[in-house]
Amino acid sequence: MQELISAANVVGLFDNKVFGRRAPDEWTVLIVLAVDRISDENAVTVEYLDSSNGETTTFACHSELPIFDVGDFINMRGDEISFIHKEALRPVFFRIAPWVGQNPPGMVT
């Protein structure tokens, strides 16, 4: 991964990104290591791909159906998550902890 980041810096895809360092306002790629699904809650453990020591983080979100599998790639910036929905092949964006997809039962919009 370090070599890919270096190459992306050379061709101008990144603005001097340094492997292993992240700014809170930039998107970073992570891989899903574990998903614990209880009822409609997804507790997700992910690993930063630009980490030299296997740094991980966790987040939770709610969804009617399972949306993450081990090995999936996601992007994270602060409390924002984005990924490509595998079946619909469409981008999904959400903030950590809300429902993903339809509104929860009883929620008024």
XYZ file of all heavy atoms in Angstrom:
856
model
N 0.818 -1.188 0.000
C 0.000 0.000 0.000
C 0.863 1.254 0.000
O 0.520 2.242 -0.626
C -0.932 -0.056 1.209
C -1.959 1.014 1.201
S -2.997 0.829 -0.247
C -4.217 2.012 0.051
N 1.978 1.195 0.714
C 2.870 2.346 0.789
C 3.356 2.742 -0.602
O 3.420 3.925 -0.932
C 4.054 2.039 1.704
C 4.970 3.215 1.922
C 6.024 2.931 2.980
O 6.091 1.842 3.525
N 6.834 3.917 3.260
N 3.653 1.745 -1.431
C 4.120 2.017 -2.790
C 3.025 2.673 -3.628
O 3.297 3.562 -4.439
C 4.597 0.726 -3.469
C 5.830 0.118 -2.845
C 5.525 -0.716 -1.604
O 4.338 -1.024 -1.328
O 6.483 -1.036 -0.879
N 1.779 2.257 -3.442
C 0.669 2.858 -4.181
C 0.468 4.322 -3.802
O 0.222 5.172 -4.661
C -0.627 2.074 -3.946
C -0.687 0.675 -4.545
C -1.958 -0.034 -4.112
C -0.593 0.729 -6.048
N 0.574 4.621 -2.515
C 0.430 6.011 -2.064
C 1.559 6.865 -2.628
O 1.330 7.980 -3.106
C 0.367 6.081 -0.526
C -0.956 5.484 -0.037
C 0.533 7.521 -0.032
C -1.071 5.335 1.456
N 2.780 6.339 -2.617
C 3.914 7.080 -3.186
C 3.710 7.348 -4.662
O 3.949 8.458 -5.154
C 5.217 6.305 -2.971
O 5.510 6.205 -1.606
N 3.259 6.332 -5.399
C 3.017 6.500 -6.834
C 1.905 7.508 -7.087
O 1.992 8.332 -8.007
C 2.672 5.151 -7.464
N 0.852 7.486 -6.270
C -0.250 8.439 -6.430
C 0.217 9.863 -6.163
O -0.224 10.808 -6.825
C -1.404 8.071 -5.502
N 1.128 10.055 -5.215
C 1.706 11.373 -4.971
C 2.466 11.860 -6.199
O 2.362 13.019 -6.588
C 2.647 11.353 -3.761
C 1.918 11.456 -2.450
O 0.895 12.107 -2.339
N 2.451 10.794 -1.436
N 3.234 10.962 -6.823
C 4.062 11.323 -7.980
C 3.196 11.812 -9.137
O 3.511 12.809 -9.786
C 4.950 10.138 -8.419
C 5.604 10.401 -9.770
C 6.006 9.847 -7.359
N 2.086 11.134 -9.394
C 1.245 11.510 -10.535
C 0.200 12.565 -10.171
O -0.608 12.944 -11.004
C 0.563 10.282 -11.192
C 1.594 9.325 -11.745
C -0.375 9.581 -10.234
N 0.200 13.024 -8.928
C -0.682 14.120 -8.550
C -2.061 13.733 -8.064
O -2.932 14.585 -7.945
N -2.288 12.452 -7.768
C -3.602 12.038 -7.261
C -3.789 12.410 -5.804
O -4.907 12.594 -5.341
C -3.799 10.536 -7.443
C -3.898 10.046 -8.883
C -4.001 8.531 -8.924
C -5.089 10.677 -9.580
N -2.702 12.496 -5.061
C -2.741 12.914 -3.669
C -1.926 14.180 -3.521
O -0.986 14.428 -4.269
C -2.159 11.850 -2.736
C -3.011 10.627 -2.565
C -2.425 9.373 -2.543
C -4.381 10.702 -2.416
C -3.188 8.233 -2.376
C -5.153 9.571 -2.242
C -4.548 8.334 -2.225
N -2.259 14.960 -2.515
C -1.526 16.187 -2.221
C -0.523 15.907 -1.099
O -0.770 16.215 0.060
C -2.500 17.294 -1.826
C -1.823 18.639 -1.695
O -0.726 18.826 -2.241
O -2.406 19.514 -1.014
N 0.586 15.258 -1.463
C 1.658 14.925 -0.510
C 1.191 14.078 0.666
O 1.544 14.331 1.807
C 2.349 16.202 -0.008
C 3.055 16.928 -1.122
O 3.668 16.298 -1.981
N 2.958 18.243 -1.124
N 0.395 13.054 0.391
C -0.044 12.133 1.442
C 1.158 11.325 1.912
O 1.998 10.928 1.132
C -1.125 11.199 0.904
C -1.648 10.242 1.951
C -2.964 9.649 1.528
C -3.516 8.688 2.532
N -3.774 9.258 3.836
N 1.203 11.090 3.226
C 2.277 10.310 3.826
C 1.685 9.015 4.360
O 0.687 9.034 5.095
C 2.963 11.098 4.969
C 4.030 10.250 5.645
C 3.547 12.395 4.440
N 2.287 7.893 3.992
C 1.819 6.584 4.445
C 1.799 6.548 5.975
O 2.773 6.904 6.628
C 2.735 5.483 3.905
C 2.295 4.098 4.267
C 1.251 3.498 3.591
C 2.912 3.404 5.293
C 0.837 2.223 3.919
C 2.502 2.132 5.625
C 1.474 1.535 4.942
N 0.667 6.139 6.542
C 0.536 6.030 7.984
C 0.000 7.266 8.674
O -0.275 7.235 9.867
N -0.152 8.364 7.943
C -0.703 9.596 8.528
C -1.988 9.963 7.812
O -2.074 9.879 6.597
C 0.285 10.753 8.381
C 1.482 10.613 9.244
C 2.209 11.931 9.307
N 3.628 11.678 9.495
C 4.577 12.480 9.101
N 4.294 13.599 8.480
N 5.834 12.181 9.333
N -2.972 10.408 8.622
C -4.250 10.807 8.048
C -4.668 12.148 8.622
O -4.511 12.392 9.808
C -5.329 9.770 8.365
C -5.173 8.490 7.593
C -6.174 7.454 8.035
N -5.995 7.015 9.424
C -5.046 6.198 9.833
N -4.168 5.739 8.975
N -4.962 5.838 11.095
N -5.218 12.975 7.773
C -5.808 14.237 8.222
C -7.299 13.987 8.442
O -7.920 13.230 7.688
C -5.600 15.328 7.182
N -7.900 14.595 9.465
C -9.314 14.336 9.755
C -10.264 14.739 8.637
O -11.376 14.235 8.562
C -9.596 15.155 11.010
C -8.347 15.840 11.384
C -7.287 15.514 10.393
N -9.819 15.630 7.745
C -10.712 16.102 6.686
C -10.518 15.378 5.357
O -11.091 15.755 4.355
C -10.531 17.608 6.485
C -9.124 17.961 6.031
O -8.184 17.173 6.292
O -8.959 19.022 5.415
N -9.720 14.306 5.324
C -9.527 13.584 4.060
C -10.067 12.159 4.158
O -10.091 11.553 5.224
C -8.063 13.587 3.636
C -7.134 12.799 4.509
C -5.671 12.904 4.086
O -5.312 13.821 3.313
O -4.891 12.076 4.540
N -10.532 11.656 3.028
C -11.056 10.293 2.957
C -9.893 9.310 3.019
O -8.834 9.559 2.471
C -11.818 10.087 1.649
C -13.125 10.798 1.606
C -13.373 12.000 1.017
C -14.354 10.364 2.181
N -14.697 12.343 1.192
C -15.322 11.355 1.895
C -14.751 9.252 2.906
C -16.645 11.250 2.309
C -16.069 9.145 3.318
C -16.997 10.137 3.017
N -10.125 8.175 3.663
C -9.139 7.103 3.702
C -9.846 5.770 3.454
O -11.025 5.623 3.761
C -8.368 7.097 5.041
O -7.289 6.182 4.950
C -9.262 6.741 6.191
N -9.118 4.818 2.882
C -9.690 3.519 2.538
C -9.415 2.528 3.672
O -8.308 2.482 4.211
C -9.100 2.980 1.220
C -9.691 1.617 0.869
C -9.325 3.964 0.089
N -10.443 1.745 4.002
C -10.330 0.725 5.039
C -10.894 -0.585 4.514
O -11.681 -0.594 3.561
C -11.109 1.134 6.291
C -10.694 2.450 6.936
C -11.586 3.583 6.465
C -10.749 2.344 8.430
N -10.504 -1.688 5.146
C -11.043 -2.997 4.798
C -11.783 -3.554 6.012
O -11.324 -3.413 7.148
C -9.937 -3.964 4.310
C -10.543 -5.257 3.770
C -8.906 -4.223 5.398
C -9.579 -6.105 2.972
N -12.937 -4.162 5.764
C -13.756 -4.718 6.835
C -13.115 -6.015 7.333
O -12.881 -6.940 6.553
C -15.199 -4.975 6.352
C -16.018 -5.679 7.431
C -15.867 -3.675 5.929
N -12.835 -6.055 8.643
C -12.258 -7.242 9.272
C -13.311 -8.115 9.937
O -13.174 -9.339 9.971
C -11.224 -6.843 10.333
C -10.018 -6.056 9.857
C -9.122 -5.717 11.048
C -9.250 -6.835 8.808
N -14.346 -7.493 10.499
C -15.381 -8.248 11.214
C -16.679 -7.454 11.213
O -16.665 -6.227 11.258
C -14.952 -8.527 12.647
N -17.780 -8.194 11.153
C -19.116 -7.590 11.260
C -19.916 -8.423 12.246
O -20.098 -9.618 12.048
C -19.850 -7.567 9.897
C -21.219 -6.931 10.048
C -19.034 -6.879 8.831
N -20.346 -7.786 13.315
C -21.230 -8.438 14.280
C -22.604 -7.815 14.102
O -22.782 -6.631 14.361
C -20.724 -8.229 15.710
C -19.402 -8.923 15.944
O -19.229 -10.057 15.468
O -18.529 -8.314 16.597
N -23.542 -8.630 13.636
C -24.889 -8.120 13.365
C -25.848 -8.692 14.391
O -26.007 -9.912 14.499
C -25.315 -8.491 11.951
C -26.648 -7.886 11.587
C -26.850 -7.895 10.082
N -28.221 -7.607 9.752
C -28.727 -6.394 9.630
N -27.946 -5.352 9.805
N -29.994 -6.205 9.332
N -26.467 -7.808 15.155
C -27.482 -8.197 16.131
C -28.727 -7.393 15.807
O -28.700 -6.162 15.852
C -27.010 -7.923 17.572
C -25.749 -8.737 17.868
C -28.120 -8.241 18.569
C -25.097 -8.400 19.186
N -29.780 -8.106 15.411
C -31.022 -7.469 14.979
C -30.712 -6.559 13.794
O -30.245 -7.039 12.777
C -31.674 -6.731 16.145
O -32.914 -6.214 15.761
N -30.928 -5.253 13.931
C -30.677 -4.340 12.814
C -29.382 -3.544 12.987
O -29.101 -2.631 12.234
C -31.850 -3.382 12.628
C -32.142 -2.576 13.887
O -31.255 -2.453 14.758
O -33.264 -2.073 14.010
N -28.583 -3.888 14.000
C -27.342 -3.152 14.233
C -26.143 -3.904 13.664
O -26.002 -5.107 13.830
C -27.108 -2.913 15.716
C -25.835 -2.109 15.955
C -25.568 -1.836 17.408
O -25.241 -2.784 18.141
O -25.699 -0.666 17.797
N -25.288 -3.154 12.974
C -24.034 -3.678 12.443
C -22.899 -3.069 13.257
O -22.713 -1.853 13.243
C -23.846 -3.248 10.982
C -24.992 -3.667 10.106
O -25.122 -4.820 9.752
N -25.867 -2.719 9.767
N -22.145 -3.885 13.976
C -20.938 -3.431 14.662
C -19.774 -3.870 13.776
O -19.544 -5.067 13.575
C -20.834 -4.048 16.047
N -19.064 -2.904 13.223
C -18.085 -3.178 12.174
C -16.677 -2.816 12.651
O -16.452 -1.723 13.165
C -18.429 -2.373 10.895
C -17.508 -2.740 9.759
C -19.891 -2.587 10.496
N -15.744 -3.738 12.461
C -14.331 -3.485 12.731
C -13.615 -3.402 11.390
O -13.763 -4.288 10.544
C -13.707 -4.610 13.579
O -14.435 -4.719 14.797
C -12.234 -4.336 13.872
N -12.862 -2.317 11.210
C -12.173 -2.076 9.943
C -10.708 -1.745 10.203
O -10.339 -1.277 11.273
C -12.834 -0.925 9.151
C -14.217 -1.328 8.648
C -12.937 0.334 9.992
N -9.874 -2.004 9.187
C -8.443 -1.700 9.267
C -8.079 -0.656 8.231
O -8.492 -0.754 7.071
C -7.614 -2.955 9.020
C -6.119 -2.713 9.089
C -5.301 -3.959 8.836
O -5.868 -5.067 8.830
O -4.088 -3.827 8.630
N -7.312 0.337 8.664
C -6.826 1.370 7.745
C -5.807 0.743 6.800
O -4.827 0.139 7.248
C -6.161 2.512 8.516
C -7.115 3.343 9.324
C -7.352 3.054 10.662
C -7.773 4.421 8.748
C -8.229 3.826 11.407
C -8.645 5.195 9.489
C -8.871 4.893 10.820
O -9.738 5.658 11.548
N -6.016 0.893 5.493
C -5.070 0.325 4.538
C -3.763 1.100 4.493
O -2.753 0.572 4.053
C -5.687 0.258 3.136
C -6.782 -0.783 2.948
C -7.210 -0.842 1.495
C -6.322 -2.154 3.406
N -3.776 2.343 4.951
C -2.535 3.122 4.935
C -1.826 3.090 6.288
O -1.006 3.937 6.580
C -2.801 4.561 4.504
C -3.681 5.330 5.465
O -4.204 4.720 6.421
O -3.854 6.540 5.270
N -2.105 2.081 7.099
C -1.465 1.947 8.397
C -0.310 0.957 8.304
O -0.471 -0.143 7.775
C -2.475 1.454 9.439
O -1.831 1.168 10.650
N 0.826 1.336 8.839
C 1.985 0.443 8.802
C 1.940 -0.601 9.916
O 2.676 -1.566 9.886
C 3.276 1.261 8.903
O 3.285 2.014 10.097
N 1.062 -0.404 10.908
C 1.012 -1.340 12.034
C -0.370 -1.968 12.240
O -0.695 -2.395 13.339
C 1.474 -0.647 13.315
C 0.611 0.543 13.683
O -0.277 0.925 12.927
N 0.865 1.130 14.842
N -1.197 -2.006 11.200
C -2.499 -2.669 11.302
C -3.500 -1.951 12.175
O -4.343 -2.585 12.828
N -3.479 -0.624 12.171
C -4.398 0.174 12.986
C -5.848 -0.094 12.585
O -6.184 -0.116 11.408
C -4.071 1.656 12.795
C -4.901 2.585 13.613
C -4.566 4.043 13.318
O -3.670 4.321 12.524
O -5.247 4.900 13.901
N -6.704 -0.283 13.591
C -8.121 -0.559 13.332
C -8.998 0.453 14.056
O -8.547 1.169 14.944
C -8.517 -1.979 13.808
O -8.342 -2.066 15.218
C -7.699 -3.049 13.103
N -10.248 0.470 13.663
C -11.266 1.247 14.341
C -12.581 0.497 14.207
O -12.694 -0.449 13.419
C -11.368 2.687 13.775
O -12.213 3.467 14.617
C -11.924 2.702 12.361
N -13.557 0.894 14.975
C -14.883 0.272 14.895
C -15.943 1.352 14.770
O -15.723 2.505 15.165
C -15.180 -0.581 16.149
O -15.131 0.256 17.294
C -14.187 -1.711 16.299
N -17.070 0.980 14.212
C -18.225 1.857 14.164
C -19.471 0.994 14.142
O -19.403 -0.207 13.886
C -18.181 2.808 12.952
C -18.317 2.135 11.619
C -19.565 1.932 11.034
C -17.194 1.702 10.935
C -19.695 1.318 9.800
C -17.307 1.086 9.693
C -18.558 0.897 9.126
N -20.594 1.616 14.421
C -21.871 0.912 14.396
C -22.846 1.700 13.538
O -22.796 2.929 13.489
C -22.427 0.737 15.802
N -23.699 0.983 12.859
C -24.789 1.591 12.108
C -25.940 0.600 12.078
O -25.770 -0.570 12.386
C -24.348 1.991 10.699
S -23.904 0.603 9.642
N -27.107 1.097 11.723
C -28.301 0.259 11.649
C -28.745 0.131 10.201
O -28.667 1.097 9.444
C -29.433 0.876 12.476
C -29.125 0.904 13.930
N -28.429 1.934 14.504
C -29.391 0.018 14.918
C -28.290 1.685 15.798
N -28.864 0.544 16.074
N -29.204 -1.054 9.830
C -29.760 -1.268 8.497
C -30.748 -2.420 8.563
O -30.625 -3.317 9.391
C -28.652 -1.570 7.483
O -27.970 -2.767 7.814
N -31.718 -2.353 7.681
C -32.735 -3.397 7.634
C -32.120 -4.737 7.221
O -32.452 -5.780 7.765
C -33.830 -2.989 6.649
C -35.031 -3.887 6.656
C -36.122 -3.347 5.744
O -36.387 -2.139 5.775
O -36.693 -4.167 4.997
N -31.215 -4.687 6.258
C -30.548 -5.886 5.745
C -29.042 -5.770 5.983
O -28.516 -4.668 6.119
C -30.814 -6.027 4.245
C -32.277 -6.163 3.827
C -32.415 -6.091 2.318
C -32.864 -7.459 4.362
N -28.323 -6.899 5.996
C -26.863 -6.828 6.115
C -26.277 -6.044 4.940
O -26.721 -6.190 3.796
C -26.432 -8.296 6.052
C -27.639 -9.082 6.434
C -28.812 -8.279 5.950
N -25.289 -5.190 5.223
C -24.698 -4.386 4.145
C -23.194 -4.545 4.032
O -22.614 -4.134 3.037
C -25.045 -2.890 4.311
C -24.654 -2.396 5.689
C -26.498 -2.622 4.020
C -24.804 -0.899 5.874
N -22.544 -5.130 5.036
C -21.095 -5.304 5.001
C -20.729 -6.764 5.145
O -21.388 -7.513 5.874
C -20.421 -4.539 6.151
C -20.622 -3.051 6.090
C -21.415 -2.411 7.026
C -20.006 -2.287 5.112
C -21.596 -1.043 6.992
C -20.187 -0.920 5.060
C -20.984 -0.295 6.002
N -19.664 -7.157 4.455
C -19.071 -8.478 4.594
C -17.585 -8.303 4.868
O -16.982 -7.299 4.456
C -19.233 -9.300 3.303
C -20.669 -9.692 3.032
O -21.351 -10.159 3.967
O -21.109 -9.543 1.873
N -16.988 -9.285 5.516
C -15.545 -9.271 5.728
C -14.865 -9.186 4.364
O -15.256 -9.866 3.411
C -15.104 -10.538 6.493
C -13.590 -10.656 6.531
C -15.679 -10.512 7.908
N -13.888 -8.301 4.249
C -13.167 -8.112 2.989
C -13.668 -6.949 2.158
O -13.016 -6.557 1.189
N -14.819 -6.382 2.526
C -15.334 -5.216 1.799
C -14.434 -4.011 2.044
O -13.831 -3.868 3.110
C -16.748 -4.854 2.279
C -17.814 -5.799 1.781
O -17.509 -6.678 0.956
O -18.968 -5.656 2.244
N -14.370 -3.127 1.063
C -13.650 -1.872 1.194
C -14.647 -0.751 1.467
O -15.718 -0.716 0.856
C -12.866 -1.539 -0.080
C -11.737 -2.477 -0.330
C -11.857 -3.487 -1.277
C -10.544 -2.371 0.373
C -10.813 -4.363 -1.517
C -9.497 -3.243 0.150
C -9.635 -4.242 -0.799
N -14.299 0.133 2.386
C -15.106 1.316 2.649
C -14.179 2.520 2.693
O -12.961 2.374 2.779
C -15.904 1.213 3.968
C -14.956 1.208 5.174
C -16.807 -0.003 3.978
C -15.660 1.522 6.469
N -14.759 3.696 2.640
C -14.016 4.942 2.794
C -14.554 5.646 4.028
O -15.756 5.611 4.299
C -14.211 5.847 1.580
C -13.659 5.201 0.333
O -12.473 5.048 0.198
N -14.550 4.798 -0.558
N -13.660 6.298 4.770
C -14.067 6.987 5.986
C -13.399 8.358 6.049
O -12.234 8.510 5.697
C -13.672 6.163 7.207
C -14.061 6.775 8.536
S -13.500 5.769 9.935
C -14.873 4.651 10.089
N -14.189 9.345 6.473
C -13.675 10.691 6.741
C -14.407 11.190 7.977
O -15.599 11.498 7.926
C -13.934 11.622 5.560
C -13.452 13.058 5.823
C -13.614 13.944 4.631
N -15.037 14.103 4.317
C -15.484 14.755 3.251
N -14.635 15.281 2.391
N -16.777 14.860 3.026
N -13.687 11.255 9.100
C -14.333 11.640 10.350
C -15.432 10.651 10.690
O -15.184 9.463 10.811
N -16.676 11.144 10.821
C -17.797 10.258 11.127
C -18.606 9.891 9.881
O -19.707 9.366 9.981
C -18.706 10.878 12.188
C -19.425 12.124 11.699
O -19.072 12.646 10.632
O -20.355 12.581 12.397
N -18.038 10.138 8.690
C -18.715 9.811 7.431
C -18.169 8.506 6.865
O -16.965 8.266 6.893
C -18.503 10.911 6.401
C -19.076 12.253 6.791
C -18.683 13.314 5.788
O -17.526 13.775 5.866
O -19.521 13.656 4.933
N -19.071 7.706 6.328
C -18.711 6.445 5.676
C -19.260 6.478 4.260
O -20.363 6.954 4.022
C -19.344 5.235 6.416
C -18.903 5.180 7.877
C -19.058 3.930 5.676
C -17.482 4.774 8.102
N -18.494 5.943 3.315
C -19.010 5.761 1.958
C -18.523 4.416 1.434
O -17.453 3.932 1.818
C -18.576 6.899 1.025
O -17.225 6.769 0.678
N -19.347 3.828 0.592
C -18.981 2.561 -0.042
C -19.894 2.351 -1.239
O -20.876 3.064 -1.420
C -19.097 1.379 0.943
C -20.485 1.117 1.450
C -21.293 0.160 0.856
C -20.991 1.835 2.528
C -22.574 -0.085 1.336
C -22.265 1.604 3.018
C -23.058 0.644 2.417
N -19.554 1.388 -2.062
C -20.396 1.017 -3.206
C -21.254 -0.172 -2.785
O -20.724 -1.209 -2.367
C -19.553 0.645 -4.445
C -18.669 1.811 -4.871
C -20.442 0.170 -5.590
C -19.425 3.040 -5.337
N -22.570 -0.011 -2.883
C -23.492 -1.103 -2.577
C -23.258 -2.208 -3.595
O -23.345 -1.974 -4.815
C -24.936 -0.598 -2.633
C -25.926 -1.577 -2.125
N -26.364 -2.638 -2.869
C -26.558 -1.655 -0.918
C -27.231 -3.327 -2.168
N -27.364 -2.750 -0.971
N -22.956 -3.427 -3.124
C -22.540 -4.519 -4.019
C -23.630 -4.976 -4.973
O -23.343 -5.329 -6.113
C -22.047 -5.708 -3.204
C -20.757 -5.424 -2.473
C -20.321 -6.613 -1.669
C -21.303 -6.823 -0.557
N -20.822 -7.092 0.744
N -24.869 -4.999 -4.531
C -25.939 -5.501 -5.387
C -26.478 -4.419 -6.308
O -26.728 -4.660 -7.482
C -27.047 -6.104 -4.537
C -26.591 -7.356 -3.811
C -27.644 -7.885 -2.855
O -28.794 -7.418 -2.882
O -27.288 -8.785 -2.066
N -26.667 -3.222 -5.780
C -27.232 -2.134 -6.582
C -26.171 -1.382 -7.375
O -26.498 -0.627 -8.281
C -27.978 -1.157 -5.671
N -24.889 -1.585 -7.014
C -23.770 -0.871 -7.643
C -24.004 0.635 -7.655
O -23.865 1.306 -8.664
C -23.517 -1.394 -9.064
C -23.036 -2.833 -9.148
C -22.860 -3.238 -10.595
C -21.755 -3.037 -8.365
N -24.356 1.144 -6.482
C -24.562 2.583 -6.327
C -23.813 3.046 -5.081
O -23.621 2.278 -4.136
C -26.035 2.931 -6.233
C -26.738 2.348 -5.045
C -28.201 2.801 -4.950
N -28.858 2.157 -3.839
C -28.760 2.540 -2.572
N -28.032 3.577 -2.253
N -29.383 1.888 -1.608
N -23.392 4.298 -5.082
C -22.680 4.795 -3.897
C -23.633 4.995 -2.725
O -24.783 5.386 -2.907
C -22.096 6.130 -4.369
C -22.944 6.537 -5.526
C -23.462 5.280 -6.155
N -23.141 4.712 -1.525
C -23.891 4.912 -0.298
C -23.045 5.792 0.614
O -21.853 5.541 0.783
C -24.195 3.571 0.404
C -24.905 3.797 1.729
C -24.988 2.655 -0.501
N -23.649 6.827 1.178
C -22.984 7.730 2.118
C -23.842 7.816 3.367
O -25.057 7.923 3.272
C -22.849 9.146 1.536
C -22.027 9.204 0.290
C -22.624 9.087 -0.953
C -20.659 9.388 0.356
C -21.871 9.143 -2.104
C -19.903 9.447 -0.791
C -20.502 9.317 -2.026
N -23.201 7.776 4.540
C -23.941 7.995 5.781
C -22.978 8.416 6.878
O -21.774 8.268 6.753
C -24.731 6.749 6.200
C -23.890 5.555 6.581
C -23.509 5.344 7.905
C -23.505 4.637 5.624
C -22.752 4.246 8.250
C -22.742 3.531 5.967
C -22.371 3.331 7.287
N -23.553 8.958 7.922
C -22.788 9.284 9.130
C -22.914 8.107 10.097
O -23.950 7.451 10.159
C -23.295 10.561 9.776
C -23.015 11.776 8.928
C -23.151 13.047 9.750
N -22.941 14.212 8.925
C -21.751 14.720 8.616
N -20.662 14.157 9.067
N -21.649 15.781 7.866
N -21.883 7.843 10.839
C -21.848 6.699 11.744
C -23.015 6.747 12.731
O -23.306 7.792 13.288
C -20.509 6.661 12.505
C -19.378 6.396 11.506
C -20.524 5.608 13.599
C -18.003 6.516 12.095
N -23.672 5.577 12.897
C -24.736 5.296 13.848
C -26.166 5.427 13.338
O -27.042 4.816 13.905
C -24.579 6.079 15.146
N -26.476 6.183 12.280
C -27.883 6.216 11.880
C -28.277 4.958 11.099
O -27.458 4.109 10.826
C -27.953 7.432 10.961
C -26.619 7.471 10.327
C -25.658 7.016 11.413
N -29.539 4.915 10.781
C -30.021 3.846 9.907
C -29.460 4.045 8.511
O -29.324 5.168 8.041
C -31.541 3.872 9.831
C -32.180 3.126 10.947
C -32.237 3.505 12.243
C -32.797 1.860 10.866
N -32.873 2.553 12.976
C -33.233 1.534 12.160
C -33.029 0.967 9.832
C -33.889 0.350 12.433
C -33.694 -0.202 10.108
C -34.113 -0.503 11.392
N -29.171 2.953 7.833
C -28.732 2.987 6.446
C -29.877 2.433 5.613
O -30.355 1.333 5.864
C -27.459 2.138 6.227
C -27.050 2.161 4.777
C -26.342 2.647 7.123
N -30.334 3.185 4.641
C -31.455 2.735 3.822
C -32.749 3.324 4.324
O -32.832 4.513 4.611
N -33.751 2.487 4.484
C -35.073 2.956 4.881
C -35.070 3.460 6.316
O -34.220 3.113 7.122
C -36.088 1.834 4.723
C -36.245 1.382 3.304
C -37.281 0.275 3.193
O -37.830 -0.165 4.179
N -37.539 -0.138 1.990
N -36.061 4.278 6.639
C -36.199 4.807 7.996
C -36.593 3.701 8.954
O -37.334 2.785 8.600
C -37.254 5.906 8.019
C -36.857 7.098 7.224
O -35.672 7.399 7.105
N -37.829 7.802 6.682
N -36.136 3.778 10.212
C -36.518 2.773 11.188
C -38.002 2.865 11.503
O -38.609 3.903 11.330
C -35.677 3.127 12.414
C -35.351 4.569 12.237
C -35.289 4.802 10.754
N -38.592 1.761 11.968
C -40.009 1.781 12.328
C -40.290 2.880 13.349
O -39.540 3.065 14.294
C -40.245 0.398 12.929
C -39.101 -0.437 12.449
C -37.954 0.496 12.217
N -41.350 3.631 13.121
C -41.764 4.654 14.056
C -41.049 6.011 13.877
O -41.379 6.959 14.543
N -40.060 6.065 12.973
C -39.345 7.321 12.787
C -40.151 8.229 11.862
O -40.636 7.809 10.829
C -37.969 7.073 12.175
C -37.161 8.320 11.974
S -35.519 7.880 11.384
C -34.928 9.495 10.942
N -40.282 9.474 12.257
C -41.018 10.441 11.452
C -40.018 11.271 10.684
O -39.034 11.750 11.245
C -41.881 11.360 12.352
C -42.599 12.400 11.529
C -42.847 10.525 13.163
N -40.267 11.443 9.381
C -39.351 12.258 8.570
C -40.044 13.489 8.075
O -41.225 13.598 8.046
C -38.818 11.464 7.372
O -39.915 11.017 6.589
C -37.987 10.298 7.846
